[in-house]
Amino acid sequence: MQISQRTQVGIVGAGPAGLVLSHLLHLHGIESIVVENRSRQYVEERVRAGVLEQGTVNLLTEMGVGERMKAEGLVHYGIELRFGGRGHRIDFHELTGGKGITIYAQNEVLRDLNNARIATGGQVLFEVENVSIHDFDDTRPKIRYRKDGADYEVSCDFIAGCDGFHGICRPSIPAGVLTEYDRVYPFGWLGILAEAPPSAEELVYTYHDRGFALLSMRTPHISRLYLQCKPDENIDHWEDERIWRELHTRFASDGWKLTEGPILQKGVTGMRSFVVEPMQYGSLFLAGDSAHIVPPTGAKGLNLAIADVTVLARALHRFYATGNRSLLDQYSSTCLRRVWKVQRFSWWMTSMLHRFPDENPFDRRRQLAELDYVTTSRAASTSLAENYVGLPME
Ligand code: APR
Ligand code: PHB
């Protein structure tokens, strides 16, 4: 026996894309049901990104979910590029007319969004199983799922595929519709969360003979650090002492000291650039990591997911308010203009700062020239700054 449900927008996935979309739709008086296969606790404790663009901060504030972010987030107006043992600050405030970024963990954003959804009667269903989507090539799409031993079918007007790179929505689109653009990088990042006060006020991106390293943070007491490693690095080969030793080497700079502390979490993530075109098919709209992946060097994944659903929410609001489908029909092309600019920036940051196994001496000199240019040319550092704080939404 199948239990029937009805809503206007069915959303698969309760990550940043799914939850921001659900709450934006609520604010426009549009109903949605979100189905998520993980538990709420898992989603709110999963260690992910931590950099919010100015536009993301403004949106979350306007949505009424920015209170804790404003109280606990760390506002930064620059980053440091470190190479040759010397640091060079990129001054966002000066170069972008006062814009900055906010360091606030993605899982905390999700915690705030879940609380807002619950407080406003939102339907976010966790720990569902066997999610599938149907009939989205016509106007009566459906989501089917299983929960607590019962089978459900949600009839809706539209489906938002916010289920990430490994979700079921993108693969449900018939063969031959999508074009994939993919670049897998020959390295990964070993990341740690450490109970250690950050050793710098702002993020430090380091280019070193032994590979890239990044100093970030979560709070004044928790550091988030990464170092370039093999793409298939076995984390078991990296005991804490070895990780700290390598970080000290890569960050070494006169008069500067990296503070150690107990490592609370460690893991290895691969690096890829990925885009599918188009990002929509019939009544199905892909958003966030279900449609694209960026290497984390530009800190864009979370922000790009939220940019997608900002476009989708605006289009759905126009449709339900006027019956006009034009913004819905333009969803994919609108999103892809930003997606490809963010892909370019993320690729550029990655290519400039990492050692490549197939590089030659020319490549090394070219990278050093790129870093020298970016840190001495106002035009070049302005380009980095305006991309890093977030390009204007269309
Ligand atoms: N059924 C239901 N939920 C699913 C399914 C499924 N078959 N497959 C995946 N999900 C859920 C995942 O458990 C996850 O909570 O969809 C959600 C997708 O969230 P994200 O992967 O975070 O993707 P997105 O919302 O696009 O946000 C992108 O999150 O992963 C980071 O680095 C990424 O910062 C970027 C941001
Ligand atoms: C992080 O704080 O997790 C972070 C910051 C900047 C990046 C990537 C990750 O480029």
Side-chain angles (χ1 to χ4, degrees):
M1 195 268 277
Q2 200 165 58
I3 302 167
S4 297
Q5 294 172 295
R6 166 78 194 149
T7 192
Q8 291 172 292
V9 181
I11 300 172
V12 183
L19 288 179
V20 167
L21 177 61
S22 177
H23 203 58
L24 281 174
L25 293 176
H26 161 73
L27 295 173
H28 289 312
I30 300 168
E31 291 176 356
S32 65
I33 290 179
V34 183
V35 293
E36 163 62 48
N37 60 2
R38 298 286 191 168
S39 70
R40 178 179 177 185
Q41 180 183 2
Y42 178 91
V43 170
E44 291 183 358
E45 292 178 357
R46 194 167 39 187
V47 177
R48 287 285 175 79
V51 173
L52 305 183
E53 291 175 353
Q54 187 75 54
T56 301
V57 169
N58 297 347
L59 177 76
L60 294 172
T61 304
E62 289 155 19
M63 290 170 66
V65 297
E67 187 178 343
R68 211 158 59 94
M69 173 188 66
K70 290 281 187 185
E72 299 175 16
L74 305 172
V75 180
H76 288 180
Y77 289 106
I79 58 170
E80 177 187 319
L81 299 182
R82 189 174 293 184
F83 55 100
R86 288 186 56 235
H88 308 263
R89 185 168 186 266
I90 304 292
D91 185 341
F92 295 158
H93 197 275
E94 159 70 22
L95 295 166
T96 66
K99 291 181 181 176
I101 56 166
T102 296
I103 305 295
Y104 187 66
Q106 175 172 311
N107 60 297
E108 299 304 335
V109 174
L110 297 183
R111 198 186 307 276
D112 297 338
L113 284 161
N114 275 323
N115 288 336
R117 290 280 57 221
I118 291 165
T120 53
Q123 293 190 77
V124 183
L125 309 173
F126 292 98
E127 297 181 84
V128 307
E129 301 168 301
N130 304 347
V131 175
S132 59
I133 60 175
H134 307 271
D135 305 329
F136 48 87
D137 54 355
D138 72 14
T139 57
R140 306 301 303 160
K142 301 169 188 70
I143 298 175
R144 293 190 186 123
Y145 67 91
R146 186 166 177 77
K147 184 167 172 61
D148 302 333
D151 291 319
Y152 294 80
E153 180 176 272
V154 183
S155 296
C156 44
D157 301 326
F158 304 98
I159 297 175
C162 302
D163 49 348
F165 185 69
H166 300 290
I168 54 100
C169 288
R170 188 182 69 247
S172 299
I173 294 175
V177 171
L178 298 179
T179 302
E180 293 189 357
Y181 301 87
D182 199 6
R183 171 172 292 287
V184 178
Y185 295 90
F187 40 73
W189 279 11
L190 188 158
I192 66 169
L193 210 56
E195 195 170 338
S199 304
E201 291 293 315
E202 298 171 330
L203 273 60
V204 180
Y205 287 79
T206 291
Y207 175 84
H208 189 275
D209 288 351
R210 293 177 63 84
F212 169 82
L214 169 61
L215 179 152
S216 184
M217 66 284 292
R218 288 293 177 270
T219 73
H221 312 289
I222 301 290
S223 290
R224 178 70 165 151
L225 295 133
Y226 301 92
L227 57 85
Q228 176 184 345
C229 63
K230 296 196 304 288
D232 56 354
E233 191 71 63
N234 182 344
I235 191 69
D236 297 335
H237 295 166
W238 285 82
E239 65 281 356
D240 294 5
E241 293 69 30
R242 182 186 177 194
I243 294 173
W244 285 117
R245 192 165 57 246
E246 191 63 34
L247 288 169
H248 282 295
T249 301
R250 296 189 190 185
F251 281 113
S253 178
D254 291 346
W256 188 85
K257 183 176 180 305
L258 178 64
T259 304
E260 296 187 13
I263 292 180
L264 307 172
Q265 187 265 354
K266 62 174 94 168
V268 174
T269 52
M271 306 269 282
R272 81 187 305 157
S273 298
F274 175 84
V275 181
V276 284
E277 291 187 6
M279 290 173 53
Q280 66 190 95
Y281 177 77
S283 305
L284 172 63
F285 296 83
L286 302 179
D289 276 16
S290 69
H292 41 69
I293 294 287
V294 283
T297 328
K300 291 300 172 192
L302 167 58
N303 296 290
L304 197 52
I306 291 176
D308 286 347
V309 296
T310 302
V311 173
L312 185 52
R314 184 172 59 201
L316 288 165
H317 179 215
R318 166 82 63 89
F319 171 75
Y320 282 111
T322 68
N324 182 315
R325 287 190 58 98
S326 60
L327 292 184
L328 282 172
D329 295 341
Q330 297 160 25
Y331 166 76
S332 180
S333 57
T334 302
C335 287
L336 285 169
R337 281 193 290 275
R338 186 181 191 88
V339 165
W340 279 110
K341 282 184 271 194
V342 168
Q343 287 286 355
R344 179 212 65 85
F345 173 68
S346 303
W347 164 84
W348 173 74
M349 285 283 280
T350 303
S351 303
M352 178 171 67
L353 288 161
H354 289 75
R355 295 298 310 276
F356 286 70
D358 64 347
E359 70 190 19
N360 64 26
F362 168 83
D363 297 314
R364 300 266 290 135
R365 284 286 186 276
R366 175 188 48 79
Q367 284 178 309
L368 288 168
E370 184 92 57
L371 287 161
D372 181 23
Y373 175 53
V374 165
T375 53
T376 56
S377 155
R378 184 179 178 84
S381 50
T382 300
S383 175
L384 189 161
E386 71 171 359
N387 279 279
Y388 201 98
V389 301
L391 297 174
M393 285 294 291
E394 278 194 20

